Amino acid sequence: MVTKSIHSLKGKIPWFRVLLTLLLFFAGRYMLAYSFSSVQKISLTVSSEVPASLQLYYDASTRRPGFTEKNSSRSKDVPPGERVTLHFRVPDIPLARLRIDLGSASEEVRLSRIVLHQALGRRVVLAAGKIGQLFADGTTHNARLSGPAGGYLRLVATGNDPYVVSGGDFSSSHGTPLITYIPLLLLSLYAYYLTGRVSQGQLRRFFLPARPSAPGSSSVVPSLDGLRGFAALLVLAEHNVGFFRGAGHSGVLIFFVLSGFLLTRPFVTNPAGLCSPPGLVRYATRRLGRILPMYYFYLLMVYGMGLRLSDFTLHALFIEGLGHLWTMPQEMLFYLVFPVIIVVYHWVLRDNIYGFLGLLLTGAVLWNTMVPVESLYFYGMMNAKLPVLLSVFLWGAFFSCLYYGVVREYLERHSMPGWIRAGGVVLSFGIIITLVLFSNGGLLGNRSVVYAMLYRTEFALAIGFLVFFLCATGDTVLSRLLSGRIISAVGLVSYSLYLIHPIIINLVKKVYPGSPARFFIVLLVSYGCACITYHLIEQPAAAVLKNRFVQPVNCCEAVTHCGYCPTFEKNSTCCRYASGCFSVSGQGCRRFVQARLTAGKRPLGDSDSRLCGQSRPCEDVVPLITYFRLPGPLSADHRGASRSGGEP
């Protein structure tokens, strides 16, 4: 009977909503505890018979306190023969450990009381007895702590650099007002109500986004999204775990190589698409729509709201790159140079794929030699000169040209030998292991050496091989691992994740300065925020710019985008349809598609499905109405289909 009741409850209780609500409640409880335990000022009531001075060091870690000059106050004097209260400012952090430094070896100070000033005017008063308990299990250096006696503790210096460190946790000496849990409880219940109005599928699509791909389209390689997610994890690992020093630089190199690879892909067989004013407008709109909205949102949060207008302006114009933003001017420079490279390929090399390969290979190998950092550089932290990493992008462009211009055509006619496929998989795993474990020299006895920076050209070459093999070897163990839903979702929001994560690190570091769990906390919080900005900023901004400025006129590109083009002749400007070719320029293409729609015909019937490389008939072309924005009359059937079909 009891078992039957339990099984009936399993079907009635919405466990997902319950767990999500509990997670929100305890996360809010933790944030409240953090907020109310943060100390803004420390007051010490002291007296001394001789001239003395005191300085405080504070830390938020209960495991491994790090007392540095950054976490210290200014030294304050104690006048002899007087009982005074000294006030020390603290940067609003939870106080776990406190270190009191005496000025010289001949001082003796009597400590009567410590007052912790917190948010909302709260004051936690610690008398001499409580102070003695907190410092009882602590450490001392050339100092002696005695008492309490007579309502005070005696701090006596016995040598140079005297100080005492608390052993107890100051944050445990005060709590959170119970009344503050009422709004938190109401908020959690409201979240429970809202989640009941949203399906689990919608939540899954929000927090595990997937890249849409056209039916039968081979232009999307899912494992590359996973590789981008792997790169984002490397960056987070370096910024949170000392063992992975240099791994973040390897992650950035992956981003750069992928940018060069993916940006070059559509122009390998169709360079003319970027050699006309409309093509340049489409290119610039897509690139700026991808980078600027989220980037400017981050600048507004970090510099704009802090009224740091000079930093905001220099970063907005890509002149300066502080911290992790050093990558943005590098990316933007490649976006500016890339059209020039394609123009040379189309007009000078006359679309010669092997000449293009030679051009990219020469640039990737000789760039660092021809253009040293003294000649061309960006500004980083403390006005440091950063080299221009154009060669890293060129390696990505080279392997894109090699695969889409030479190898892919061969693989369409021949199968890859098994030994080459197996060797590529083994080499790819070796490259990934190298990026994780050997970005620095820690395993070789010298962690201070960052190989990913010292040999960035070699690392970029290895990453280029990795991307090439992921595309060429097809379905392998590695490609399946990198095509997983979670790692691909991380890759899809990796841009927002990269920009946001330093803010989250600074918040979490105050609570978990040296905790092994800090990486996972930062990852979860950063990923959740990245999903929100991806859906609310990145995607809407890119869609608005695309719909406003991008007007596709290339029939082959548009039809291929929707997965309907039967074949595409290499280096040609026409779509082969059955036995004839149709112009793709301007109104010719539009009239052709419009005529097919008006006649109520499919662009590809059952008999032409073989040309699609599909085992099923090709789909109707009606969704292309929205894509082409074709004016003109449509039959009633097609108007209804257009409304129900939506955009492709």
Side-chain angles (χ1 to χ4, degrees):
M1 188 68 178
V2 175
T3 305
K4 186 179 294 186
S5 301
I6 292 176
H7 283 296
S8 63
L9 283 176
K10 285 184 178 180
K12 293 180 180 179
I13 297 179
W15 293 108
F16 179 80
R17 295 170 60 193
V18 171
L19 291 176
L20 193 62
T21 304
L22 290 176
L23 179 64
L24 177 63
F25 177 80
F26 285 108
R29 178 181 178 275
Y30 174 80
M31 295 302 296
L32 279 176
Y34 172 85
S35 301
F36 280 99
S37 64
S38 296
V39 177
Q40 301 170 346
K41 184 173 67 174
I42 302 176
S43 299
L44 272 64
T45 301
V46 296
S47 61
S48 177
E49 298 297 331
V50 296
S53 63
L54 292 179
Q55 184 178 10
L56 297 187
Y57 288 79
Y58 39 81
D59 196 83
S61 173
T62 58
R63 298 175 178 86
R64 192 179 301 173
F67 296 115
T68 63
E69 292 299 325
K70 182 180 178 180
N71 296 331
S72 67
S73 65
R74 292 183 179 180
S75 177
K76 294 185 178 293
D77 295 330
V78 181
E82 298 182 22
R83 182 179 179 180
V84 295
T85 300
L86 306 179
H87 302 285
F88 299 89
R89 290 288 178 183
V90 179
D92 199 14
I93 63 170
L95 182 64
R97 295 284 190 267
L98 184 65
R99 171 177 145 182
I100 304 177
D101 282 34
L102 287 82
S104 65
S106 59
E107 294 182 3
E108 177 180 336
V109 176
R110 298 174 180 177
L111 178 59
S112 304
R113 188 175 65 171
I114 295 179
V115 180
L116 307 179
H117 301 265
Q118 299 175 325
L120 302 179
R122 297 180 71 223
R123 297 168 71 249
V124 178
V125 180
L126 305 177
K130 182 62 176 179
I131 299 172
Q133 295 176 11
L134 292 172
F135 281 88
D137 298 327
T139 59
T140 62
H141 181 266
N142 291 335
R144 185 176 69 253
L145 181 66
S146 60
Y152 58 83
L153 295 170
R154 295 176 65 244
L155 304 177
V156 182
T158 59
N160 295 324
D161 190 24
Y163 62 80
V164 294
V165 180
S166 67
D169 184 3
F170 272 78
S171 62
S172 62
S173 60
H174 42 83
T176 305
L178 291 177
I179 194 172
T180 59
Y181 290 109
I182 296 177
L184 178 60
L185 181 61
L186 294 176
L187 179 63
S188 300
L189 293 175
Y190 183 63
Y192 179 83
Y193 165 76
L194 286 181
T195 53
R197 303 178 65 86
V198 180
S199 68
Q200 294 187 25
Q202 291 174 313
L203 286 175
R204 189 180 298 110
R205 286 191 294 272
F206 188 87
F207 288 106
L208 288 176
R211 185 183 299 277
S213 59
S217 174
S218 59
S219 61
V220 176
V221 182
S223 57
L224 296 187
D225 278 334
L227 183 61
R228 190 181 284 110
F230 170 71
L233 294 180
L234 289 180
V235 174
L236 263 69
E238 178 181 357
H239 292 168
N240 289 278
V241 185
F243 175 81
F244 294 105
R245 185 184 181 207
H249 197 78
S250 295
V252 169
L253 294 180
I254 293 177
F255 288 139
F256 288 171
V257 171
L258 282 174
S259 290
F261 185 90
L262 297 174
L263 203 58
T264 307
R265 178 179 61 184
F267 304 108
V268 171
T269 56
N270 185 28
L274 194 55
C275 297
S276 63
L280 284 174
V281 170
R282 289 197 301 271
Y283 167 80
T285 302
R286 287 171 178 169
R287 290 300 91 209
L288 297 180
R290 173 77 178 92
I291 294 296
L292 294 187
M294 185 60 204
Y295 178 59
Y296 284 163
F297 173 74
Y298 177 82
L299 294 182
L300 183 64
M301 284 197 306
V302 175
Y303 299 122
M305 296 180 68
L307 298 181
R308 297 167 59 182
L309 299 183
S310 60
D311 286 332
F312 180 89
T313 303
L314 292 175
H315 282 83
L317 298 177
F318 299 96
I319 298 174
E320 188 178 49
L322 300 181
H324 69 305
L325 298 181
W326 70 271
T327 60
M328 303 306 298
Q330 305 275 356
E331 193 91 22
M332 191 55 62
L333 177 65
F334 178 67
Y335 291 166
L336 294 175
V337 172
F338 182 73
V340 179
I341 298 174
I342 297 300
V343 167
V344 172
Y345 170 40
H346 182 56
W347 293 107
V348 178
L349 299 177
R350 299 294 182 180
D351 298 351
N352 187 301
I353 193 67
Y354 296 101
F356 190 34
L357 280 170
L359 174 67
L360 294 173
L361 181 61
T362 302
V365 172
L366 299 182
W367 172 262
N368 294 332
T369 304
M370 295 186 302
V371 186
V373 66
E374 293 80 12
S375 303
L376 185 64
Y377 53 85
F378 290 113
Y379 284 109
M381 296 286 289
M382 306 298 292
N383 291 326
K385 294 181 179 180
L386 302 177
V388 176
L389 305 183
L390 186 62
S391 62
V392 179
F393 294 94
L394 292 179
W395 278 121
F398 170 79
F399 282 102
S400 180
C401 182
L402 179 64
Y403 176 69
Y404 289 102
V406 179
V407 175
R408 186 181 184 184
E409 185 178 356
Y410 173 84
L411 293 177
E412 288 175 352
R413 300 192 303 267
H414 306 85
S415 61
M416 177 178 291
W419 66 272
I420 296 181
R421 187 187 185 92
V425 173
V426 173
L427 180 61
S428 299
F429 272 109
I431 292 172
I432 286 182
I433 292 172
T434 301
L435 296 176
V436 174
L437 299 180
F438 294 100
S439 291
N440 63 61
L443 296 180
L444 302 178
N446 190 358
R447 193 178 299 278
S448 61
V449 178
V450 179
Y451 292 132
M453 296 180 63
L454 193 60
Y455 302 106
R456 59 170 61 95
T457 300
E458 291 78 4
F459 270 67
L461 175 61
I463 294 168
F465 270 112
L466 174 61
V467 175
F468 175 82
F469 280 121
L470 283 175
C471 294
T473 54
D475 186 20
T476 62
V477 175
L478 180 60
S479 65
R480 286 194 293 270
L481 289 174
L482 292 177
S483 300
R485 182 70 182 270
I486 295 178
I487 191 68
S488 295
V490 174
L492 209 56
V493 303
S494 59
Y495 180 52
S496 287
L497 183 66
Y498 179 82
L499 289 178
I500 289 174
H501 81 275
I503 299 177
I504 308 301
I505 288 177
N506 289 333
L507 293 175
V508 176
K509 189 184 292 185
K510 295 180 178 181
V511 186
Y512 293 106
S515 171
R518 194 177 80 188
F519 168 76
F520 298 101
I521 297 172
V522 170
L523 174 60
L524 290 176
V525 177
S526 300
Y527 178 76
C529 295
C531 288
I532 295 173
T533 55
Y534 173 76
H535 288 288
L536 300 184
I537 297 177
E538 286 192 64
Q539 280 194 319
V544 167
L545 290 173
K546 179 179 178 180
N547 293 334
R548 175 64 180 86
F549 296 105
V550 178
Q551 296 290 336
V553 296
N554 188 317
C555 178
C556 274
E557 288 180 356
V559 177
T560 303
H561 169 81
C562 297
Y564 303 118
C565 192
T567 60
F568 179 78
E569 288 188 350
K570 179 183 175 184
N571 296 330
S572 69
T573 56
C574 64
C575 273
R576 180 180 297 275
Y577 179 78
S579 60
C581 289
F582 295 88
S583 171
V584 300
S585 59
Q587 295 302 317
C589 175
R590 293 169 180 262
R591 282 197 297 271
F592 161 65
V593 178
Q594 182 66 50
R596 301 293 296 181
L597 289 172
T598 305
K601 296 179 179 179
R602 292 169 175 262
L604 297 172
D606 296 354
S607 61
D608 296 319
S609 62
R610 295 186 304 276
L611 298 176
C612 282
Q614 301 175 358
S615 59
R616 57 177 178 79
C618 291
E619 306 211 5
D620 201 301
V621 77
V622 169
L624 288 177
I625 300 170
T626 308
Y627 191 81
F628 275 100
R629 301 184 180 181
L630 295 174
L634 295 175
S635 65
D637 294 340
H638 283 87
R639 283 195 296 269
S642 177
R643 285 193 298 270
S644 62
E647 286 197 38

